[in-house]
Amino acid sequence: MGTVAARGLSKSFGKVQALDGVTLDVPDGSFFVVLGPSGAGKTTTLRAIAGLEKLDAGSVHLDGRDATGDTPAARDLAMVFQSYALYPRHTVYENIASPLRARRCSSSEITTAVEQMSSLLHIERLLQRRPAQLSGGEMQRVALARALVRRPRAFLMDEPLTNLDLKLRVEMRTELTRIHRSLGATFVYVTNDQVEALSMADQVAVLKEGKVQQVGTPTEVYERPANQWVAGFVGSPPISLLACRAEGDRLVGAEGWTLPRPHWTTAEDGRALLLGLRAEDLSVEQRGNASLSGELYGLEPLGDRTLVDVRVGTKIVKVKARPTVTGTPGERLQVTVDLDRAHLFDADTGLSLSEAGR
Amino acid sequence: MAVSVDEAVSTGPARDHSPPARRLGGRGRSGLEVALLIVLAVVMLFPVLWMIETSIKENRDVYAIPAKFFDFRVTLEHYRDVFVAPDGGRSALSVSFLNSAVVAGVSTVLATVLGVPAAWAYSRFAVKAKKDQLFFILSTRFMPPVVVVIPIFLMYRQVGLIDSKLGLILIYAAFNVPFTIWMMKGFVDEVPAEYEDAAMLDGYTRLQAFWKFTLPLLVPGIAATAVFALIFSWNEFVFAIFLTSSDDVRTAPPAIAGLIGGTTTDWGLVAAASVVFALPVLVFAYLVRKHLIAGVTLGAVRR
Ligand SMILES: Nc1ncnc2c1ncn2[C@@H]1O[C@H](COP(=O)(O)OP(=O)(O)OP(=O)(O)O)[C@@H](O)[C@H]1O
Ligand SMILES: [Mg+2]
C-alpha cells in the first residue's frame, strides 16, 4: 500500500500564498507528477506531504489514514530534495546508508542495500568521497540513491533530474520509469519540465500560483487542457492563441480571418473567445477546407522538423513542418487548420469551451 | 551548498583581500605614515613591555631612580612569589588563579550548553515576535555591569550567594548566554535547515537530527563563541570585586588589584601576576583571531 492524499493544503509565507487549497489524490503504485513553473508551490506541496511544513489549513492522508500531525519519520516517506541536502561531513556511502541506520538495520543489510543502489545508479566509484568532491549530476544520483535505498510508503522527488546534462537526463528518465515499474511503489514527482511530466507520468497535476489547474493523464492534459494557461504551459512550442468570436456557422477572428465554426463547441454567438492552435495541428504544406492566410515571418530549423512562424494579422502562429520546407520572409502563405484538434477558451475566464469526449 | 562554517564566518574583507592600491602610485607607505605607526606602536606597547620588564627585575632595580631600562638584574623570584607563599605553601594569588579558571570555565560551559540550543531554536523555528525577543536578549548587554551590581549584591545576600564561586558562575553565565545566542544564531543560520529535514525523513527525530547532523558543523563556531565567553569571564572585575571577599573565592582580577595599596606595593609581584593573568587571554585570542573581527560586529557575521 502507498496512497498519498492531500486535502485542501494551504500555506502562506508572510504575504506570499504558496499553497491555496491544493488537493491531490495519488493512487497506490502510480507515478504522479506535479508540474508547474518556478514558484508555483511544488516544493512546498512536497514538504507539506513530508511533514516538514506546518500548514495553515488542510490535511495529509497516507494509506487512507490522517497523518497531518505525524512527524516526518513516522510518515515513512523518502524524499529527494531539490538542493540534494547531502550531509557534508559524511561519505557518499554513509549518506546512502543514513535512512537504514536511522531505522536500525543490521550492518550486513546496509552493505548489501548500499552496494545494490550504487551499482544501479552507477556511483560505485564515488562511495568513499564526500559531497563536496562530487559534480552536480553525481550529487543528484547520490540523493536518488539515498531515497531509493529504503522501501518507504512513497517516494517524493523534487526535480531530481534538473541538474543532469541532456543525455544523462534522458537516460535517467528511462531508468527512473524502469525503477518505478520494478518497485511498484508510489512516486510523487515534481518537475517544471513538461517533457519529463508527459513522458514519465501516469497522472499529472498542473500547479500554478499554489492552485491546482488540472489533474489528468498526460494525454488528457495535453489534448484537453482545462484552461488557456494549461494549454500554454504544456506543449512545446507553446500553443498559439488567437482572439475571435463565433458568428453563426463561422469563427471570426479579431485579425479579420474567418474559419468554419467547429461542431464541438457550445460557445454562444458574440462571446469573446480564444482559439488555441498547436503547431502540429497546422500545416503550410497541405491544403484543407479551413485555413488562415498570413505571411512568412521566419523559419526555425530544429533538425527533425522546422518551425514556420507565420504572421496572421499581428499574431505569430507557429506551424510544424518538414525540415525541407523553404520560403522567404514576407511571402504570402495559407495555414491549414485541423479544426477537430483545435481548442476554444473563454477569453475572460480562460476556461476551456471544448466539449470533453468530442 | 555545504559551506563550511569556518569559511562562512571569516568575513571576506578581514583576510585574503589585497587592498586596492592605497597610494596614487600604488607604492608602499610614506615616511610620515611609518613614523606615526611607530609612535602609535610604542605608546600602545610601552605599558605591556614595562609590565614584562618589571616582572623580571630585581626589586632594587624596580624602585631605582632614574628608572633602569636596560641594565638591570634579571630574576624570576616574582614569578615564584605569584605561586608560592613565603611559608612555602600555596600563595593566595595562585588560589585566585585557580578560582578564575573554575569560574570562567564552568560559566562558559553553562552559557554554551544553554545558548547553543536557544540559538538553534531561534534560527529554525517560527518563534512569536522573534525579532523583539532577540532584541531584548541583546539589550541585556547594553547596560554596563556596574549599573546592576548593587541590586544583584542585595539579591545575592538574600539567597546566600554572596562570596561564593557559584554566585559568580551564575552571573557570568547570565551575561554570556545572550552573547552566545547572538553569535551562534549567525553560525546556525549558515547551516542549511535541509540537512535536518533530510535526517528527519531518514527516520531521526528533530533532536537527533540536530545532534547528529547540525551540531558537528557548528563546532568551529561554538569554539570561537566559547573563547569569547571565556575571555569575558576571565577578565571580569566589577562583579568579582563587589560579590566576593574571601581569599579562597576571589578571582584573579580583584586579587591582583588587591596587591596595590597599603604601605608599600610589591610592583614586581603585581607585574608578574599580571603577565601570568594575561597569558591565557593572549593564547585564546590568538586561536580565534580570525573570528575576532567578525565577533566584534556580532550580528554582522552573515555573508
Ligand atoms: N521558507 C519560505 N519563506 C518565504 N517564502 C517562501 C518560502 N518557501 C517558499 N516560499 C515562496 O512560496 C512560493 C512557492 O515556493 P516553492 O518553493 O514551493 O516553489 P516551486 O514550485 O518549488 O519553485 P521552483 O520550481 O523554483 O523550485 C514562492 O513564491 C516562494 O517564494
Ligand atoms: Mg522547488
Side-chain angles (χ1 to χ4, degrees):
Chain A
M1 274 291 276
T3 69
V4 176
R7 298 258 172 280
L9 304 184
S10 291
K11 170 80 191 174
S12 60
F13 296 103
K15 287 200 185 73
V16 183
Q17 185 78 30
L19 297 184
D20 189 358
V22 170
T23 294
L24 301 170
D25 264 296
V26 183
D28 184 30
S30 74
F31 199 113
F32 191 96
V33 172
V34 178
L35 173 68
S38 188
K42 307 181 297 292
T43 298
T44 313
T45 306
L46 274 199
R47 292 176 55 85
I49 293 172
L52 298 172
E53 212 72 72
K54 201 167 176 304
L55 290 165
D56 300 339
S59 57
V60 174
H61 301 258
L62 300 173
D63 288 338
R65 206 180 55 78
D66 190 344
T68 316
D70 290 2
T71 63
R75 295 183 189 212
D76 188 21
L77 302 166
M79 179 156 169
V80 179
F81 288 79
Q82 193 169 1
S83 61
Y84 326 129
L86 299 177
Y87 311 126
R89 292 289 195 84
H90 293 52
T91 59
V92 166
Y93 183 96
E94 280 306 318
N95 264 284
I96 301 175
S98 173
L100 303 174
R101 291 218 194 286
R103 290 169 204 266
R104 302 183 195 289
C105 295
S106 72
S107 59
S108 64
E109 269 178 286
I110 293 176
T111 317
T112 330
V114 173
E115 272 165 12
Q116 198 190 340
M117 262 311 122
S118 52
S119 74
L120 187 67
L121 291 161
H122 311 294
I123 46 177
E124 302 100 320
R125 292 179 306 110
L126 311 174
L127 286 179
Q128 294 317 314
R129 297 210 205 155
R130 282 171 210 279
Q133 301 164 315
L134 301 178
S135 74
E138 288 166 344
M139 285 198 243
Q140 211 147 29
R141 278 179 287 161
V142 175
L144 271 169
R146 182 174 66 184
L148 292 167
V149 75
R150 213 164 61 77
R151 290 290 155 268
R153 186 176 270 154
F155 295 95
L156 312 176
M157 305 201 169
D158 196 350
E159 311 199 16
L161 304 185
T162 35
N163 277 348
L164 304 181
D165 63 57
L166 190 63
K167 182 170 163 289
L168 196 53
R169 194 177 330 158
V170 174
E171 257 174 54
M172 286 297 297
R173 237 185 252 160
T174 327
E175 194 63 18
L176 268 183
T177 323
R178 199 184 58 73
I179 292 173
H180 169 251
R181 251 189 246 114
S182 69
L183 295 181
T186 311
F187 278 45
V188 184
Y189 185 102
V190 158
T191 180
N192 58 23
D193 178 351
Q194 39 118 2
V195 180
E196 234 169 63
L198 297 180
S199 63
M200 298 167 87
D202 293 328
Q203 284 213 64
V204 184
V206 188
L207 202 62
K208 177 205 175 198
E209 288 164 15
K211 289 199 184 75
V212 177
Q213 304 292 312
Q214 185 173 5
V215 184
T217 63
T219 322
E220 277 166 359
V221 170
Y222 188 80
E223 301 278 340
R224 291 197 293 281
N227 60 41
Q228 171 202 334
W229 188 85
V230 173
F233 185 69
V234 181
S236 170
I239 198 166
S240 306
L241 292 165
L242 299 173
C244 62
R245 254 163 234 293
E247 278 176 23
D249 58 353
R250 308 164 76 74
L251 279 181
V252 179
E255 316 283 357
W257 48 263
T258 56
L259 287 172
R261 176 187 177 130
H263 62 87
W264 40 260
T265 182
T266 51
E268 66 273 24
D269 284 8
R271 171 130 59 134
L273 304 173
L274 284 171
L275 177 66
L277 302 169
R278 290 207 191 272
E280 68 271 23
D281 301 330
L282 301 173
S283 170
V284 290
E285 292 145 317
Q286 287 159 355
R287 296 264 148 257
N289 55 353
S291 65
L292 300 168
S293 61
E295 62 183 48
L296 183 63
Y297 190 74
L299 295 172
E300 296 173 46
L302 298 176
D304 57 337
R305 72 214 120 104
T306 293
L307 283 184
V308 184
D309 292 354
V310 181
R311 201 171 71 181
V312 176
T314 57
K315 287 276 187 188
I316 305 293
V317 173
K318 292 192 179 282
V319 181
K320 241 175 226 179
R322 276 182 301 184
T324 50
V325 75
T326 53
T328 46
E331 185 182 314
R332 301 293 309 169
L333 285 177
Q334 288 295 313
V335 179
T336 308
V337 180
D338 183 354
L339 268 180
D340 284 341
R341 297 185 52 84
H343 306 271
L344 274 177
F345 303 98
D346 185 308
D348 298 323
T349 62
L351 292 180
S352 173
L353 297 171
S354 318
E355 300 277 272
R358 68 190 186 221
Chain B
M1 39 173 280
V3 188
S4 103
V5 174
D6 216 32
E7 265 165 37
V9 172
S10 53
T11 48
R15 53 150 210 202
D16 296 350
H17 183 269
S18 50
R22 66 174 67 230
R23 292 265 147 241
L24 282 179
R27 282 171 44 244
R29 299 187 161 91
S30 72
L32 183 67
E33 238 178 343
V34 172
L36 284 174
L37 282 171
I38 288 174
V39 171
L40 194 67
V42 169
V43 170
M44 301 279 279
L45 289 178
F46 179 76
V48 179
L49 288 176
W50 193 242
M51 171 179 81
I52 294 171
E53 221 186 281
T54 307
S55 74
I56 53 172
K57 273 182 191 169
E58 279 199 346
N59 264 339
R60 250 180 327 123
D61 295 337
V62 170
Y63 293 102
I65 297 173
K68 289 190 171 179
F69 278 92
F70 299 111
D71 70 49
F72 53 82
R73 301 273 298 263
V74 173
T75 173
L76 287 178
E77 68 188 27
H78 301 309
Y79 284 96
R80 192 201 58 213
D81 293 345
V82 168
F83 294 103
V84 185
D87 60 12
R90 262 190 182 178
S91 70
L93 264 179
S94 72
V95 173
S96 74
F97 275 116
L98 207 64
N99 291 339
S100 266
V102 169
V103 168
V106 176
S107 68
T108 298
V109 168
L110 205 58
T112 305
V113 167
L114 294 174
V116 171
W120 174 68
Y122 275 116
S123 172
R124 292 289 189 255
F125 296 99
V127 181
K128 247 192 200 148
K130 184 190 278 189
K131 283 206 175 122
D132 300 328
Q133 289 194 26
L134 282 170
F135 180 78
F136 170 75
I137 289 170
L138 184 69
S139 72
T140 59
R141 296 294 302 246
F142 290 172
M143 76 202 147
V146 73
V147 173
V148 287
V149 74
I150 302 293
I152 287 182
F153 178 85
L154 296 174
M155 288 190 275
Y156 268 29
R157 206 173 49 187
Q158 282 293 317
V159 296
L161 283 171
I162 281 290
D163 200 22
S164 73
K165 279 182 240 174
L166 180 64
L168 278 187
I169 288 169
L170 289 180
I171 196 80
Y172 291 170
F175 263 72
N176 277 327
V177 163
F179 168 76
T180 306
I181 292 177
W182 263 86
M183 183 113 171
M184 284 312 298
K185 180 169 179 296
F187 285 101
V188 180
D189 285 345
E190 293 292 334
V191 178
E194 286 199 336
Y195 297 152
E196 286 162 43
D197 293 341
M200 287 193 286
L201 276 153
D202 284 352
Y204 292 105
T205 65
R206 193 173 257 293
L207 281 178
Q208 285 173 323
F210 166 70
W211 186 259
K212 283 185 71 106
F213 296 96
T214 303
L215 199 60
L217 298 172
L218 293 177
V219 167
I222 292 174
T225 310
V227 166
F228 278 111
L230 204 61
I231 292 175
F232 166 83
S233 308
W234 181 260
N235 285 345
E236 209 289 326
F237 178 74
V238 175
F239 286 119
I241 197 148
F242 273 88
L243 301 180
T244 61
S245 50
S246 57
D247 277 351
D248 53 344
V249 174
R250 205 146 243 214
T251 55
I256 294 171
L259 297 174
I260 306 170
T263 43
T264 58
T265 298
D266 184 350
W267 288 112
L269 182 63
V270 172
S274 303
V275 170
V276 173
F277 180 72
L279 270 180
V281 175
L282 285 177
V283 169
F284 280 127
Y286 178 78
L287 290 179
V288 291
R289 64 197 180 287
K290 266 201 302 189
H291 302 283
L292 267 167
I293 301 143
V296 171
T297 45
L298 282 181
V301 189
R302 257 142 276 169
R303 268 173 285 199

